[in-house]
Amino acid sequence: MATAPIEFNPFDPAVVADPYPYYRLMRERDPVHRNATIRTWFLTRHADVCELLRDERFSSDGTQGERYVPPPPGRGRPGRSMLVVDPPDHTRLRNLVSKAFTPRMVERLRPRIEAIAADLVDRLADESGADLISRFAYPLPVIVIAEMLGVPARDRAQFQEWSAVVVRGLDPVLDSETQEAVFDARDALVAYIRGIIGERRREPADDLITAMIAAREEGDLFSEGELVGMCNLLLIAGHETTVNLIGGGVLALLRNPDQLDRMRREPALAATAVEELLRYAPPVQWTGRVATEELELGGRRIAPRQTVVGILAAANRDPEVFGDPDRLDIGRDPNPHVSFGRGIHFCLGAPLAKLEAQVALPMLLERFPDLRLAGEPDPRPTWNLRGLAHLPVAL
Ligand code: HEM
């Protein structure tokens, strides 16, 4: 067996096109891998990724890392959100909104989610083909989060444009033109959110932004910047993730006709199917942390301020944990995938994302029994948020 040193380069277009062979190579040959050029550690084993996300000696605050480059003064700074802070601030911020996202609260949205999905499906009914991303996978979660927060429907298209640029900033290194575009889009988004907060202050409504403003005014528990950061995080998370679960999920089923058939015959498998699609095609491929002290992980020594990336998508295919990991099996149970992370930053929106997919996928398959691919799906160019720009289907 070849034992030449490997170097994982996440900017190689071949990695973005199909990262799984690279993940496997790393997991087998160098599971705690250091790329010295980009000064980053990459973890690919399930156990190591879980350890990274649970060990409080790792921080979520990237500004503490050796690789942090601050944006130019006054530019590209969204307010800090729970995603990028540690306790006690993390605990305080997460507690402010966690009630709105519990499985019980989210279940109350089911009729509305069903109505939105049914309306989108109805609009497709007279057509022979469509781009499933723009006509179904994208609008569903976007309408849901916009309604929860209270963002006016008329602004959706503009918002969508900024959000797509902002998330390019999640990839580790950018050329200067993209970096500028990311700063511009972040600034535009923050200005927009400040505008909405101002509107809700003048005219309160029955939505999450109004509730957060009220909480801030009553208890002064969080700053104006943190309020902006929270809205920013929820809007972006609601726009850029579930679309890829639904879009990537449909594609995975179309490419595995035995599993597609099984799903049609046994719609009761929706819950395990959604977990399996999350494992098999994770919308968020990785998440990073910064070491706050010298420590050891998987037999390697990590220095303070070094960046460690846990590749969730690689952990999800670790044969130590998942039998036949490259196989899609919509009945797989148990399924301890890490697509929503682990530990204190475990995805707040997980119950919502799962419910949306559990409603959307069976409805789509029932309504269009002949659903099939009608051309090459068009991947988005980002490594972290893995998804499709277009998914042409015949209906
Ligand atoms: C399939 C869809 C989704 C996936 C795969 C996903 C994935 C993730 C992951 C991996 C994390 C943890 C990041 C880390 O540990 O560094 C996370 C955190 C988070 N997600 Fe999601 N997410 C999804 C949908 C959503 C939705 C719909 C919302 C809300 C509208 C949301 C809100 C959040 C928030 C607020 C956090 C930060 C939690 C914290 O820091 O305590 N997510 N998500």
Side-chain angles (χ1 to χ4, degrees):
M1 203 173 109
T3 51
I6 54 171
E7 186 170 79
F8 176 63
N9 170 15
F11 310 112
D12 182 343
V15 168
V16 179
D18 180 11
Y20 292 97
Y22 297 90
Y23 296 161
R24 179 186 192 144
L25 195 69
M26 276 195 283
R27 201 174 43 239
E28 286 173 358
R29 301 239 307 258
D30 192 16
V32 182
H33 174 70
R34 173 117 178 121
N35 180 324
T37 319
I38 55 173
R39 290 181 296 161
T40 303
W41 293 92
F42 294 99
L43 309 180
T44 42
R45 285 189 300 218
H46 190 274
D48 293 339
V49 169
C50 291
E51 193 178 324
L52 172 76
L53 300 182
R54 288 192 186 281
D55 187 333
E56 57 196 34
R57 293 172 302 167
F58 286 108
S59 168
S60 286
D61 181 357
T63 66
Q64 305 301 316
E66 60 170 3
R67 295 192 45 223
Y68 178 66
V69 186
R75 294 202 52 205
R77 270 180 214 273
R80 279 152 61 81
S81 78
M82 73 178 96
L83 185 64
V84 295
V85 298
D86 302 319
D89 287 341
H90 172 264
T91 324
R92 175 175 55 86
L93 292 175
R94 185 158 170 140
N95 281 344
L96 280 166
V97 284
S98 56
K99 272 201 219 90
F101 289 91
T102 59
R104 213 164 57 98
M105 283 303 275
V106 165
E107 189 54 39
R108 290 166 56 177
L109 298 175
R110 183 187 283 272
R112 181 67 191 132
I113 295 173
E114 284 173 348
I116 298 166
D119 180 48
L120 292 168
V121 163
D122 279 346
R123 287 164 195 250
L124 288 174
D126 295 333
E127 300 182 29
S128 58
D131 169 22
L132 209 62
I133 302 297
S134 60
R135 300 291 300 279
F136 187 71
Y138 203 90
L140 174 62
V142 164
I143 294 171
V144 172
I145 193 68
E147 288 186 357
M148 273 182 93
L149 283 167
V151 174
R154 61 173 190 276
D155 298 341
R156 243 177 251 145
Q158 170 63 74
F159 186 82
Q160 203 161 317
E161 219 176 285
W162 290 327
S163 158
V165 178
V166 166
V167 295
R168 297 212 59 184
L170 291 173
D171 275 358
V173 177
L174 301 172
D175 58 64
S176 58
E177 203 179 312
T178 311
Q179 184 65 74
E180 276 299 307
V182 169
F183 288 151
D184 285 347
R186 272 193 205 157
D187 291 343
L189 198 49
V190 165
Y192 169 83
I193 288 169
R194 287 192 190 281
I196 299 274
I197 292 173
E199 269 177 39
R200 284 297 170 285
R201 276 218 168 90
R202 287 189 297 277
E203 268 182 68
D206 181 18
D207 58 40
L208 204 50
I209 293 185
T210 305
M212 286 191 284
I213 293 171
R216 171 161 154 68
E217 281 163 8
E218 273 161 31
D220 202 17
L221 279 172
F222 58 125
S223 70
E224 188 77 12
E226 287 171 337
L227 175 59
V228 173
M230 178 86 82
C231 296
N232 190 52
L233 172 64
L234 293 175
L235 272 169
I236 293 201
H239 270 71
E240 302 294 336
T241 53
T242 314
V243 50
N244 297 333
L245 172 58
I246 298 172
V250 170
L251 180 63
L253 289 169
L254 291 174
R255 288 192 165 153
N256 291 272
D258 60 324
Q259 298 302 305
L260 179 64
D261 276 357
R262 198 172 161 204
M263 179 100 178
R264 286 193 201 284
R265 284 197 315 271
E266 296 175 67
L269 284 180
T272 55
V274 166
E275 297 296 334
E276 177 66 347
L277 293 168
L278 279 158
R279 181 191 75 85
Y280 185 83
V284 177
Q285 293 272 299
W286 56 266
T287 184
R289 295 288 188 271
V290 169
T292 58
E293 56 186 78
E294 181 169 317
L295 49 88
E296 222 177 272
L297 200 153
R300 304 287 299 265
R301 190 168 292 275
I302 317 265
R305 302 187 62 233
Q306 284 185 339
T307 296
V308 185
V309 162
I311 305 183
L312 310 171
N316 282 351
R317 299 210 187 186
D318 186 340
E320 293 280 321
V321 178
F322 303 97
D324 207 355
D326 293 324
R327 196 174 107 74
L328 180 72
D329 169 6
I330 62 165
R332 194 185 286 271
D333 186 30
N335 193 339
H337 68 75
V338 290
S339 295
F340 289 123
R342 278 281 190 279
I344 59 168
H345 291 276
F346 183 85
C347 178
L348 180 76
L352 177 61
K354 288 202 278 195
L355 179 60
E356 287 172 353
Q358 285 169 13
V359 167
L361 293 171
M363 193 183 286
L364 190 73
L365 298 185
E366 193 195 336
R367 193 64 171 279
F368 302 108
D370 295 325
L371 183 76
R372 58 195 183 283
L373 273 181
E376 269 308 295
D378 175 16
R380 288 179 65 173
T382 46
W383 174 40
N384 192 1
L385 297 189
R386 186 170 174 76
L388 301 169
H390 303 286
L391 178 58
V393 292
L395 296 169

